[in-house]
DNA sequence: GTAATTGTTCATGT
DNA sequence: CACATGAACAATTA
């Protein structure tokens, strides 16, 4: 699930349930989620600390610890976070289990193990190291336009490039293209100034809408393409028209061939 | 059995 | 360097 709206949901969930509680035990159930640190060391660093603040940038979630180090979560394709009272409620693919002194638990669940957790000292330094672009919800129009300048890649590839701006993945890139009525394979430098303006505005509209509905696809506006992104899906604007699929950046892309046509205007 | 899956990185080629 | 593509990572489902 985890693109920007899902990770924002996790952030608010942690804010609500798991802040300011002392950590009593830490269990790494699968060491594949660790990077450059031993299970033992990771567990002992967290012990007796609390989470005192959270931050989300793009698809990353950062939890600040009492000692001012940060616990970083990346959710890969299948990561999630659960807080619960009874160990029986531990999810099936729990990879990190934290037990607080109030006897409640926080679990990082990650079926496909593409996600990871790690500890860092300096958030800005880490952000620079991994070349994480500005958050898609907070990038200024000025920076957006500057970064687009001279780029020739397909608009969807640009949207999904986390070095360019962070938080948008395969699903929401399709929605943003659809709502802007731009063909996802349109080279970004061949989009009119007016459409680029629309694109910029649509990014935050779509992401904020998704956050508002807590990333529950079934609640999205009826003109959204996301619930129709499946085999034999049709255009929510005109159900006669089948959606088409193509591959962009290796990802299956759904779009409506009637409402999203390639254009060839120069800037 | 085959293909696909909300992500990222690396190798390779243009 | 910009960009596209495919493979790899792993688990599960249609």
């Amino acid at each position: 699930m985890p693109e920007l709206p899902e990770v924002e949901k996790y952030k608010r969930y942690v804010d609500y349930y798991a802040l300011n509680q002392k950590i009593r035990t830490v269990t790494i159930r699968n060491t594949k989620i660790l990077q450059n640190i031993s299970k033992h060391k990771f567990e002992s660093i967290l012990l007796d600390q609390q989470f005192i603040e959270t931050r989300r940038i793009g698809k990353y979630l950062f939890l600040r610890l009492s000692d001012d180090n940060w616990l970083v979560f990346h959710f890969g394709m299948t990561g999630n976070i659960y807080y619960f009272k009874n160990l029986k409620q531990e999810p099936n693919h729990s990879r990190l289990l934290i037990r607080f002194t109030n006897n409640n638990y926080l679990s990082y669940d990650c079926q496909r193990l593409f996600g990871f957790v790690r500890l860092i000292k300096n958030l800005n330094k880490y952000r620079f190291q991994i070349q994480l672009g500005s958050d898609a919800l907070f990038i200024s129009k000025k920076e957006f336009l500057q970064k687009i300048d001279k780029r020739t890649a397909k608009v969807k590839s640009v949207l999904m490039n986390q070095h360019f701006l962070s938080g948008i993945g395969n699903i929401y890139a399709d929605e943003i293209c659809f709502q802007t009525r731009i063909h996802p394979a349109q080279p970004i430098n061949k989009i009119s100034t007016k459409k680029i303006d629309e694109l910029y505005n649509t990014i935050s509209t779509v992401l904020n809408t998704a956050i508002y509905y807590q990333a529950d696809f079934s609640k999205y506006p009826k003109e959204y393409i996301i619930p129709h992104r499946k085999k034999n899906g049709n255009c929510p604007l005109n159900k006669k028209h089948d959606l088409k699929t193509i591959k962009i950046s290796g990802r299956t892309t759904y779009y409506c061939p009637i409402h999203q046509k390639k254009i060839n205007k120069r800037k």
Side-chain angles (χ1 to χ4, degrees):
Chain A
M1 295 216 170
E3 294 182 40
L4 186 151
E6 288 81 8
V7 179
E8 180 64 23
K9 179 170 112 175
Y10 303 162
K11 176 199 186 302
R12 294 179 187 189
Y13 184 85
V14 171
D15 284 342
Y16 187 80
Y17 288 111
L19 291 187
N20 306 315
Q21 299 163 33
K22 194 167 164 183
I23 296 170
R24 173 176 281 168
T25 59
V26 181
T27 313
I28 291 288
R29 297 221 183 275
N30 189 321
T31 54
K32 282 204 170 130
I33 65 167
L34 294 179
Q35 303 179 328
N36 306 318
I37 188 170
S38 72
K39 169 179 155 77
H40 176 74
K41 191 164 182 203
F42 180 91
E43 291 171 351
S44 64
I45 288 175
L46 284 182
L47 216 58
D48 291 332
Q49 298 212 56
Q50 304 187 9
F51 299 122
I52 57 178
E53 181 193 348
T54 64
R55 276 191 70 187
R56 181 196 58 72
I57 305 173
K59 305 173 190 173
Y60 286 80
L61 180 61
F62 302 92
L63 308 196
R64 189 153 71 96
L65 291 155
S66 316
D67 69 358
D68 279 343
N69 285 326
W70 293 84
L71 176 60
V72 183
F73 286 96
H74 193 283
F75 297 94
M77 297 265 263
T78 55
N80 211 326
I81 284 214
Y82 298 97
Y83 185 85
F84 48 92
K85 293 189 184 310
N86 193 317
L87 198 51
K88 283 184 195 153
Q89 296 167 275
E90 184 174 11
N92 286 337
H93 308 284
S94 177
R95 310 304 190 188
L96 162 64
L97 182 69
I98 290 170
R99 185 189 189 197
F100 298 106
T101 49
N102 63 7
N103 287 329
N104 291 342
Y105 297 90
L106 186 73
S107 165
Y108 169 79
D109 183 85
C110 191
Q111 183 205 99
R112 281 170 74 187
L113 289 168
F114 285 178
F116 60 85
V117 300
R118 69 176 298 160
L119 287 161
I120 59 166
K121 283 198 184 339
N122 185 314
L123 188 52
N124 287 327
K125 195 173 151 195
Y126 179 67
R127 201 178 161 171
F128 179 78
Q129 272 172 13
I130 62 172
Q131 294 280 312
L132 188 58
S134 293
D135 186 84
L137 271 187
F138 300 115
I139 189 171
S140 70
K141 186 189 268 190
K142 187 178 164 198
E143 186 188 349
F144 185 76
L145 296 177
Q146 265 173 12
K147 284 201 168 165
I148 279 180
D149 196 38
K150 307 262 161 62
R151 292 206 173 246
T152 59
K154 297 167 181 171
V155 58
K156 182 174 175 180
S157 302
V158 175
L159 290 176
M160 289 198 300
N161 182 345
Q162 305 299 301
H163 303 306
F164 170 71
L165 86 168
S166 61
I168 300 171
N170 196 29
I171 300 289
Y172 291 97
D174 279 0
E175 190 64 64
I176 290 161
C177 289
F178 180 67
Q179 293 304 325
T180 322
R181 313 284 184 258
I182 292 175
H183 193 294
Q186 179 81 44
I188 198 158
N189 61 332
K190 301 244 175 115
I191 300 177
S192 69
T193 314
K194 186 171 169 248
K195 274 280 178 195
I196 289 289
D197 234 60
E198 262 182 73
L199 178 66
Y200 172 78
N201 292 327
T202 304
I203 290 171
S204 49
T205 306
V206 165
L207 295 176
N208 279 320
T209 301
I211 290 169
Y212 177 80
Y213 292 111
Q214 296 174 75
D216 180 347
F217 293 178
S218 71
K219 295 199 168 71
Y220 286 178
K222 61 181 187 314
E223 70 274 14
Y224 268 37
I225 200 175
I226 285 176
H228 303 268
R229 286 182 84 269
K230 50 193 159 193
K231 271 223 162 79
N232 304 315
N234 44 32
C235 174
L237 301 176
N238 183 341
K239 306 229 185 253
K240 286 182 210 157
H241 298 125
D242 289 336
L243 297 179
K244 280 201 162 180
T245 59
I246 47 174
K247 290 265 182 202
I248 295 177
S249 296
R251 316 303 305 281
T252 301
T253 299
Y254 286 78
Y255 72 101
C256 170
I258 306 297
H259 294 97
Q260 294 165 275
K261 301 223 185 258
K262 280 204 196 176
I263 48 175
N264 203 0
K265 270 190 228 161
R266 294 215 151 263
K267 278 197 186 179

